[in-house]
Amino acid sequence: MREAAFVKQNKEKWIGFENALHNNAKINPDDLASYYIQLTNDLSYAQTYYPESKTLLYLNSLASQAHQKIYVTKRESKNKIISFCRDEFPLFFYQYHKTLLYSFLIFTAAVIIGVVSTLNDDSFVRLILGDAYVNMTIENIEKGEPMAVYKSGSNIGTFLGITINNIRVAIFAFALGVFFSVGTIWILFSNGIMLGSFITFFYNYGILEKTSTVWLHGTIEISVIVIAGCAGLVMGNSFLFPKTYSRRVAFMKGAKDGLKILVSTIPFFIIAGFIEGFITRYGEQMPWLLAYSIIFISLFIIVYYYIIYPILLNKAQSQLTPKLT
């Protein structure tokens, strides 16, 4: 390729990157790294085909500035966790909204299967939830305390046990994505069918309204399992659909991104565990307005943080950052 054609093809990209560096525009760290890789590739090409040219001098200078911005002048923020939660993660997660939708649709399909199967076959719920749990719940229903299971055990013991178990499920949902996303889909499907069967079981006994007690903690718990499933799909799909990367590089990037998504769910699992350990046990005595306020506030927090806020933040970011191609 002639030097003039090479410059014309990449000029807009280089100028955009240069403006972003000089204007100290905030760029997502992953995007910055991607732009830097493109720049160094262009620099290597120029070194090979256009030695001692002005193009080479320009790219060398630009790469040096980018390197300094990424590695030399980078300062660790004292509020790194706050910065990650408030800015870095939402900006990063926006690109995986479509994967989150797939995770949600898989889970929802499984819930529907659980509902339809339990409506048409009374024995299905036993197959999914187990005879011991079903028999215990029937006994509690006959005693007039269908949610008695949530009153057993100590507050702290329940909180710790549930939180650890939920995080374990999330880790499995992520880790099993390594099997080409099939393992993650299985986790989403099994949990979705379990939820559908559980809800329909109470519906069949005419006490569906009692499940509002479960949604006190379940709103966050179920939502974040879907998000953990998204993390697993990100990793698994990165190998199946590497795009312009090699499969090895794509998989490493997907595993890193999926792990970042998984880490973001841990605080929410802790909150869900706290609610189940300290609040759910009092759900039946709780005023309905308070109970539903907790449920809808929980849902709003999840939807806002993982869907609405990333969209708003990326819109604001796109207005401040020069467009790079």
Side-chain angles (χ1 to χ4, degrees), residues 67-86:
H67 183 280
Q68 185 178 33
K69 183 175 181 65
I70 295 172
Y71 298 105
V72 178
T73 62
K74 182 180 178 182
R75 296 178 181 177
E76 289 296 328
S77 171
K78 294 181 180 178
N79 299 315
K80 184 65 176 176
I81 295 178
I82 295 176
S83 176
F84 173 83
C85 296
R86 185 190 60 201

PDB file of all heavy atoms in Angstrom, residues 67-86:
ATOM      1  N   HIS A  67       1.223   5.631  25.378  1.00  0.00           N
ATOM      2  CA  HIS A  67       1.876   4.769  26.360  1.00  0.00           C
ATOM      3  C   HIS A  67       2.017   5.487  27.688  1.00  0.00           C
ATOM      4  O   HIS A  67       1.778   4.919  28.762  1.00  0.00           O
ATOM      5  CB  HIS A  67       3.246   4.343  25.836  1.00  0.00           C
ATOM      6  CG  HIS A  67       3.963   3.383  26.748  1.00  0.00           C
ATOM      7  ND1 HIS A  67       4.656   3.784  27.874  1.00  0.00           N
ATOM      8  CD2 HIS A  67       4.064   2.030  26.715  1.00  0.00           C
ATOM      9  CE1 HIS A  67       5.165   2.732  28.469  1.00  0.00           C
ATOM     10  NE2 HIS A  67       4.822   1.647  27.787  1.00  0.00           N
ATOM     11  N   GLN A  68       2.394   6.761  27.617  1.00  0.00           N
ATOM     12  CA  GLN A  68       2.565   7.543  28.838  1.00  0.00           C
ATOM     13  C   GLN A  68       1.236   7.712  29.564  1.00  0.00           C
ATOM     14  O   GLN A  68       1.166   7.583  30.788  1.00  0.00           O
ATOM     15  CB  GLN A  68       3.148   8.916  28.492  1.00  0.00           C
ATOM     16  CG  GLN A  68       3.466   9.761  29.721  1.00  0.00           C
ATOM     17  CD  GLN A  68       4.076  11.098  29.341  1.00  0.00           C
ATOM     18  OE1 GLN A  68       3.747  11.659  28.300  1.00  0.00           O
ATOM     19  NE2 GLN A  68       4.961  11.605  30.173  1.00  0.00           N
ATOM     20  N   LYS A  69       0.172   7.942  28.791  1.00  0.00           N
ATOM     21  CA  LYS A  69      -1.145   8.132  29.408  1.00  0.00           C
ATOM     22  C   LYS A  69      -1.631   6.848  30.082  1.00  0.00           C
ATOM     23  O   LYS A  69      -2.209   6.863  31.159  1.00  0.00           O
ATOM     24  CB  LYS A  69      -2.169   8.571  28.355  1.00  0.00           C
ATOM     25  CG  LYS A  69      -3.549   8.870  28.937  1.00  0.00           C
ATOM     26  CD  LYS A  69      -4.480   9.413  27.872  1.00  0.00           C
ATOM     27  CE  LYS A  69      -5.855   9.725  28.460  1.00  0.00           C
ATOM     28  NZ  LYS A  69      -5.820  10.816  29.451  1.00  0.00           N
ATOM     29  N   ILE A  70      -1.354   5.714  29.428  1.00  0.00           N
ATOM     30  CA  ILE A  70      -1.853   4.439  29.953  1.00  0.00           C
ATOM     31  C   ILE A  70      -1.011   3.937  31.123  1.00  0.00           C
ATOM     32  O   ILE A  70      -1.526   3.484  32.137  1.00  0.00           O
ATOM     33  CB  ILE A  70      -1.871   3.376  28.834  1.00  0.00           C
ATOM     34  CG1 ILE A  70      -2.872   3.788  27.754  1.00  0.00           C
ATOM     35  CG2 ILE A  70      -2.242   2.009  29.390  1.00  0.00           C
ATOM     36  CD1 ILE A  70      -2.834   2.910  26.515  1.00  0.00           C
ATOM     37  N   TYR A  71       0.315   4.008  30.977  1.00  0.00           N
ATOM     38  CA  TYR A  71       1.189   3.344  31.939  1.00  0.00           C
ATOM     39  C   TYR A  71       1.963   4.264  32.884  1.00  0.00           C
ATOM     40  O   TYR A  71       2.139   3.935  34.051  1.00  0.00           O
ATOM     41  CB  TYR A  71       2.192   2.459  31.191  1.00  0.00           C
ATOM     42  CG  TYR A  71       1.542   1.368  30.410  1.00  0.00           C
ATOM     43  CD1 TYR A  71       1.439   1.448  29.032  1.00  0.00           C
ATOM     44  CD2 TYR A  71       1.012   0.243  31.044  1.00  0.00           C
ATOM     45  CE1 TYR A  71       0.827   0.439  28.296  1.00  0.00           C
ATOM     46  CE2 TYR A  71       0.398  -0.766  30.319  1.00  0.00           C
ATOM     47  CZ  TYR A  71       0.314  -0.661  28.951  1.00  0.00           C
ATOM     48  OH  TYR A  71      -0.289  -1.652  28.239  1.00  0.00           O
ATOM     49  N   VAL A  72       2.439   5.394  32.374  1.00  0.00           N
ATOM     50  CA  VAL A  72       3.361   6.196  33.175  1.00  0.00           C
ATOM     51  C   VAL A  72       2.629   7.136  34.117  1.00  0.00           C
ATOM     52  O   VAL A  72       2.932   7.212  35.301  1.00  0.00           O
ATOM     53  CB  VAL A  72       4.313   7.002  32.252  1.00  0.00           C
ATOM     54  CG1 VAL A  72       5.240   7.864  33.090  1.00  0.00           C
ATOM     55  CG2 VAL A  72       5.091   6.053  31.376  1.00  0.00           C
ATOM     56  N   THR A  73       1.681   7.892  33.584  1.00  0.00           N
ATOM     57  CA  THR A  73       1.016   8.902  34.412  1.00  0.00           C
ATOM     58  C   THR A  73      -0.222   8.371  35.108  1.00  0.00           C
ATOM     59  O   THR A  73      -0.945   9.127  35.751  1.00  0.00           O
ATOM     60  CB  THR A  73       0.613  10.106  33.543  1.00  0.00           C
ATOM     61  OG1 THR A  73      -0.316   9.672  32.543  1.00  0.00           O
ATOM     62  CG2 THR A  73       1.835  10.729  32.882  1.00  0.00           C
ATOM     63  N   LYS A  74      -0.489   7.092  34.922  1.00  0.00           N
ATOM     64  CA  LYS A  74      -1.676   6.509  35.544  1.00  0.00           C
ATOM     65  C   LYS A  74      -1.504   6.484  37.058  1.00  0.00           C
ATOM     66  O   LYS A  74      -0.522   5.986  37.577  1.00  0.00           O
ATOM     67  CB  LYS A  74      -1.892   5.085  35.018  1.00  0.00           C
ATOM     68  CG  LYS A  74      -3.144   4.432  35.579  1.00  0.00           C
ATOM     69  CD  LYS A  74      -3.283   3.034  35.011  1.00  0.00           C
ATOM     70  CE  LYS A  74      -4.499   2.353  35.589  1.00  0.00           C
ATOM     71  NZ  LYS A  74      -4.640   0.977  35.095  1.00  0.00           N
ATOM     72  N   ARG A  75      -2.478   7.015  37.782  1.00  0.00           N
ATOM     73  CA  ARG A  75      -2.447   7.034  39.239  1.00  0.00           C
ATOM     74  C   ARG A  75      -3.585   6.197  39.782  1.00  0.00           C
ATOM     75  O   ARG A  75      -4.705   6.267  39.293  1.00  0.00           O
ATOM     76  CB  ARG A  75      -2.587   8.467  39.751  1.00  0.00           C
ATOM     77  CG  ARG A  75      -1.437   9.372  39.361  1.00  0.00           C
ATOM     78  CD  ARG A  75      -1.677  10.784  39.877  1.00  0.00           C
ATOM     79  NE  ARG A  75      -0.589  11.670  39.494  1.00  0.00           N
ATOM     80  CZ  ARG A  75      -0.572  12.968  39.756  1.00  0.00           C
ATOM     81  NH1 ARG A  75      -1.607  13.524  40.383  1.00  0.00           N
ATOM     82  NH2 ARG A  75       0.455  13.703  39.388  1.00  0.00           N
ATOM     83  N   GLU A  76      -3.282   5.424  40.753  1.00  0.00           N
ATOM     84  CA  GLU A  76      -4.322   4.625  41.384  1.00  0.00           C
ATOM     85  C   GLU A  76      -5.189   5.527  42.246  1.00  0.00           C
ATOM     86  O   GLU A  76      -4.709   6.217  43.132  1.00  0.00           O
ATOM     87  CB  GLU A  76      -3.686   3.533  42.266  1.00  0.00           C
ATOM     88  CG  GLU A  76      -3.013   2.429  41.488  1.00  0.00           C
ATOM     89  CD  GLU A  76      -3.990   1.643  40.645  1.00  0.00           C
ATOM     90  OE1 GLU A  76      -5.161   1.514  41.073  1.00  0.00           O
ATOM     91  OE2 GLU A  76      -3.602   1.183  39.567  1.00  0.00           O
ATOM     92  N   SER A  77      -6.453   5.532  41.970  1.00  0.00           N
ATOM     93  CA  SER A  77      -7.383   6.368  42.729  1.00  0.00           C
ATOM     94  C   SER A  77      -7.558   5.831  44.139  1.00  0.00           C
ATOM     95  O   SER A  77      -7.606   4.635  44.365  1.00  0.00           O
ATOM     96  CB  SER A  77      -8.745   6.403  42.013  1.00  0.00           C
ATOM     97  OG  SER A  77      -9.706   7.025  42.823  1.00  0.00           O
ATOM     98  N   LYS A  78      -7.670   6.753  45.089  1.00  0.00           N
ATOM     99  CA  LYS A  78      -7.925   6.344  46.470  1.00  0.00           C
ATOM    100  C   LYS A  78      -9.329   5.775  46.596  1.00  0.00           C
ATOM    101  O   LYS A  78      -9.617   5.031  47.516  1.00  0.00           O
ATOM    102  CB  LYS A  78      -7.753   7.548  47.406  1.00  0.00           C
ATOM    103  CG  LYS A  78      -6.327   8.077  47.481  1.00  0.00           C
ATOM    104  CD  LYS A  78      -6.232   9.256  48.441  1.00  0.00           C
ATOM    105  CE  LYS A  78      -4.812   9.787  48.511  1.00  0.00           C
ATOM    106  NZ  LYS A  78      -4.707  10.964  49.412  1.00  0.00           N
ATOM    107  N   ASN A  79     -10.169   6.151  45.672  1.00  0.00           N
ATOM    108  CA  ASN A  79     -11.538   5.652  45.683  1.00  0.00           C
ATOM    109  C   ASN A  79     -11.767   4.717  44.498  1.00  0.00           C
ATOM    110  O   ASN A  79     -12.730   4.858  43.752  1.00  0.00           O
ATOM    111  CB  ASN A  79     -12.526   6.818  45.630  1.00  0.00           C
ATOM    112  CG  ASN A  79     -12.378   7.745  46.823  1.00  0.00           C
ATOM    113  OD1 ASN A  79     -12.275   7.297  47.955  1.00  0.00           O
ATOM    114  ND2 ASN A  79     -12.366   9.041  46.555  1.00  0.00           N
ATOM    115  N   LYS A  80     -10.855   3.762  44.316  1.00  0.00           N
ATOM    116  CA  LYS A  80     -10.901   2.878  43.157  1.00  0.00           C
ATOM    117  C   LYS A  80     -12.210   2.095  43.095  1.00  0.00           C
ATOM    118  O   LYS A  80     -12.796   1.932  42.022  1.00  0.00           O
ATOM    119  CB  LYS A  80      -9.712   1.897  43.216  1.00  0.00           C
ATOM    120  CG  LYS A  80      -9.602   0.990  42.005  1.00  0.00           C
ATOM    121  CD  LYS A  80      -9.298   1.777  40.746  1.00  0.00           C
ATOM    122  CE  LYS A  80      -9.098   0.854  39.556  1.00  0.00           C
ATOM    123  NZ  LYS A  80      -8.890   1.597  38.307  1.00  0.00           N
ATOM    124  N   ILE A  81     -12.678   1.601  44.221  1.00  0.00           N
ATOM    125  CA  ILE A  81     -13.914   0.816  44.236  1.00  0.00           C
ATOM    126  C   ILE A  81     -15.094   1.689  43.840  1.00  0.00           C
ATOM    127  O   ILE A  81     -15.942   1.288  43.032  1.00  0.00           O
ATOM    128  CB  ILE A  81     -14.136   0.191  45.626  1.00  0.00           C
ATOM    129  CG1 ILE A  81     -13.028  -0.816  45.933  1.00  0.00           C
ATOM    130  CG2 ILE A  81     -15.498  -0.487  45.703  1.00  0.00           C
ATOM    131  CD1 ILE A  81     -13.140  -1.443  47.308  1.00  0.00           C
ATOM    132  N   ILE A  82     -15.144   2.902  44.405  1.00  0.00           N
ATOM    133  CA  ILE A  82     -16.234   3.829  44.064  1.00  0.00           C
ATOM    134  C   ILE A  82     -16.176   4.180  42.586  1.00  0.00           C
ATOM    135  O   ILE A  82     -17.206   4.202  41.889  1.00  0.00           O
ATOM    136  CB  ILE A  82     -16.141   5.104  44.917  1.00  0.00           C
ATOM    137  CG1 ILE A  82     -16.378   4.767  46.397  1.00  0.00           C
ATOM    138  CG2 ILE A  82     -17.146   6.147  44.441  1.00  0.00           C
ATOM    139  CD1 ILE A  82     -16.207   5.942  47.332  1.00  0.00           C
ATOM    140  N   SER A  83     -14.978   4.433  42.077  1.00  0.00           N
ATOM    141  CA  SER A  83     -14.806   4.780  40.674  1.00  0.00           C
ATOM    142  C   SER A  83     -15.235   3.628  39.769  1.00  0.00           C
ATOM    143  O   SER A  83     -15.874   3.839  38.732  1.00  0.00           O
ATOM    144  CB  SER A  83     -13.344   5.134  40.403  1.00  0.00           C
ATOM    145  OG  SER A  83     -13.132   5.388  39.037  1.00  0.00           O
ATOM    146  N   PHE A  84     -14.890   2.406  40.179  1.00  0.00           N
ATOM    147  CA  PHE A  84     -15.259   1.223  39.395  1.00  0.00           C
ATOM    148  C   PHE A  84     -16.777   1.085  39.317  1.00  0.00           C
ATOM    149  O   PHE A  84     -17.347   0.867  38.245  1.00  0.00           O
ATOM    150  CB  PHE A  84     -14.644  -0.028  40.023  1.00  0.00           C
ATOM    151  CG  PHE A  84     -15.118  -1.317  39.385  1.00  0.00           C
ATOM    152  CD1 PHE A  84     -14.528  -1.782  38.225  1.00  0.00           C
ATOM    153  CD2 PHE A  84     -16.141  -2.061  39.958  1.00  0.00           C
ATOM    154  CE1 PHE A  84     -14.967  -2.969  37.626  1.00  0.00           C
ATOM    155  CE2 PHE A  84     -16.579  -3.238  39.381  1.00  0.00           C
ATOM    156  CZ  PHE A  84     -15.985  -3.693  38.219  1.00  0.00           C
ATOM    157  N   CYS A  85     -17.435   1.210  40.468  1.00  0.00           N
ATOM    158  CA  CYS A  85     -18.894   1.024  40.530  1.00  0.00           C
ATOM    159  C   CYS A  85     -19.650   2.160  39.858  1.00  0.00           C
ATOM    160  O   CYS A  85     -20.663   1.932  39.193  1.00  0.00           O
ATOM    161  CB  CYS A  85     -19.345   0.908  41.983  1.00  0.00           C
ATOM    162  SG  CYS A  85     -18.701  -0.538  42.853  1.00  0.00           S
ATOM    163  N   ARG A  86     -19.146   3.383  40.010  1.00  0.00           N
ATOM    164  CA  ARG A  86     -19.872   4.554  39.522  1.00  0.00           C
ATOM    165  C   ARG A  86     -19.635   4.829  38.045  1.00  0.00           C
ATOM    166  O   ARG A  86     -20.557   5.228  37.324  1.00  0.00           O
ATOM    167  CB  ARG A  86     -19.456   5.782  40.334  1.00  0.00           C
ATOM    168  CG  ARG A  86     -20.234   7.056  40.009  1.00  0.00           C
ATOM    169  CD  ARG A  86     -19.582   8.240  40.688  1.00  0.00           C
ATOM    170  NE  ARG A  86     -18.201   8.410  40.231  1.00  0.00           N
ATOM    171  CZ  ARG A  86     -17.276   9.078  40.914  1.00  0.00           C
ATOM    172  NH1 ARG A  86     -17.566   9.619  42.089  1.00  0.00           N
ATOM    173  NH2 ARG A  86     -16.041   9.191  40.428  1.00  0.00           N
TER     174      ARG A  86
END
